[in-house]
Amino acid sequence: MREPIVIALDGTSASGKSTNAKLVAKALGYLYVDTGAMYRSLAWHCLEKRVALDNEKAIASLCRRWKAALRNDDGHIRLYVDGYFPEKEIRTSETSAAVPTVAAVPGVRKWMKIKQRDCAQFGNLVMEGRDIGSNIFPETDFKYYLNASLDERAKRRAADGVDENLAERDKRDSQRAAAPLMIALGARVIDNSAMTAEETSTLIINEMRERLEAAG
Ligand code: DC
């Protein structure tokens, strides 16, 4: 049987990863995976269980024990926690503040790598994150890295009603020791500061169609 195809879509915060990953997945008939949501779910679970965020060992231990299982919800692969997907809870400011700390724990990244690779059991994927092309699926031939100017990204976040220190977030994501945000080897870098989501996704979709056709 043919191996599932994985499109890795990495990039900075507010660079349009989610919107574009969903558009590309829909156009190609692939499944969509938001790996940030998985880290957010663990951060929410840590807050629920009152695990101290400065205790790496306790976070890693909770991650090893939590009952988290993958499900395909209409083409979105999601991580359910005790049979529940905390859709609203993972977007609160408390969870957003906790997630970079949780995502920097090496034991967490090890667990996530296994779970995220396991998503391929469901079929072809568009997986968005920070280390998909560099660490989760380094073997994939299809890697994209999205970026936009800090100004433009701040405007996009503000339009969503979110006030966030993006420069600080980028710094934390890029400077952590475990699987930092980086441009994966062979990734096509797209600066979409002056592009709409439709333009960005069309570029990826057209290139993917050509490459898939050429590969037979
Ligand atoms: O994309 P997002 O804002 O939902 O991501 C939430 C946090 O998780 C962010 O601090 C970066 C981190 N993250 C990560 O370290 N690796 C990923 N593959 C996805 C997200």
Side-chain angles (χ1 to χ4, degrees):
M1 214 181 74
R2 210 175 156 150
E3 288 285 304
I5 293 166
V6 177
I7 301 177
L9 197 58
D10 292 303
T12 48
S13 295
S15 60
K17 293 188 300 295
S18 301
T19 310
N20 285 293
K22 283 181 199 157
L23 289 169
V24 173
K26 194 166 174 215
L28 299 178
Y30 286 17
L31 300 160
Y32 163 68
V33 192
D34 173 3
T35 59
M38 297 185 183
Y39 290 97
R40 286 173 177 273
S41 293
L42 180 61
W44 165 73
H45 193 58
C46 286
L47 295 173
E48 286 282 290
K49 297 286 175 194
R50 306 202 180 283
V51 168
L53 291 176
D54 58 0
N55 188 341
E56 274 202 4
K57 266 194 177 162
I59 295 171
S61 161
L62 184 70
C63 182
R64 277 195 304 274
R65 289 180 287 113
W66 69 331
K67 291 196 181 68
L70 297 170
R71 274 196 210 167
N72 179 352
D73 278 347
D74 273 338
H76 287 203
I77 308 301
R78 288 178 168 148
L79 195 62
Y80 275 67
V81 186
D82 278 325
Y84 174 67
F85 180 60
E87 189 161 15
K88 289 212 173 67
E89 294 87 335
I90 62 175
R91 305 288 162 194
T92 64
S93 51
E94 288 80 10
T95 307
S96 296
V99 65
T101 309
V102 170
V105 175
V108 167
R109 301 218 70 98
K110 197 171 152 200
W111 188 94
M112 291 287 177
K113 180 167 182 173
I114 294 167
K115 248 338 180 220
Q116 289 166 12
R117 285 192 66 87
D118 210 22
C119 290
Q121 69 176 288
F122 296 99
N124 297 333
L125 309 172
V126 180
M127 182 174 277
E128 64 147 302
R130 304 293 194 289
D131 65 336
I132 311 308
S134 58
N135 179 46
I136 306 298
F137 284 103
E139 73 275 30
T140 185
D141 287 331
F142 308 110
K143 302 179 188 183
Y144 293 90
Y145 184 94
L146 299 189
N147 201 3
S149 68
L150 194 55
D151 239 29
E152 175 57 28
R153 292 187 290 124
K155 271 189 213 146
R156 291 176 190 170
R157 273 288 194 262
D160 289 340
V162 182
D163 177 24
E164 190 180 19
N165 187 337
L166 287 172
E168 179 58 30
R169 176 90 91 98
D170 291 346
K171 198 167 145 201
R172 286 182 74 171
D173 287 341
S174 313
Q175 293 187 350
R176 66 168 175 245
L181 167 69
M182 63 163 88
I183 301 173
L185 205 67
R188 173 163 183 188
V189 179
I190 302 172
D191 184 325
N192 61 20
S193 303
M195 290 163 80
T196 63
E198 206 196 330
E199 286 167 339
T200 307
S201 62
T202 301
L203 199 131
I204 299 173
I205 292 160
N206 288 345
E207 182 178 278
M208 279 303 303
R209 284 194 172 129
E210 274 170 29
R211 293 184 64 188
L212 292 170
E213 209 175 287

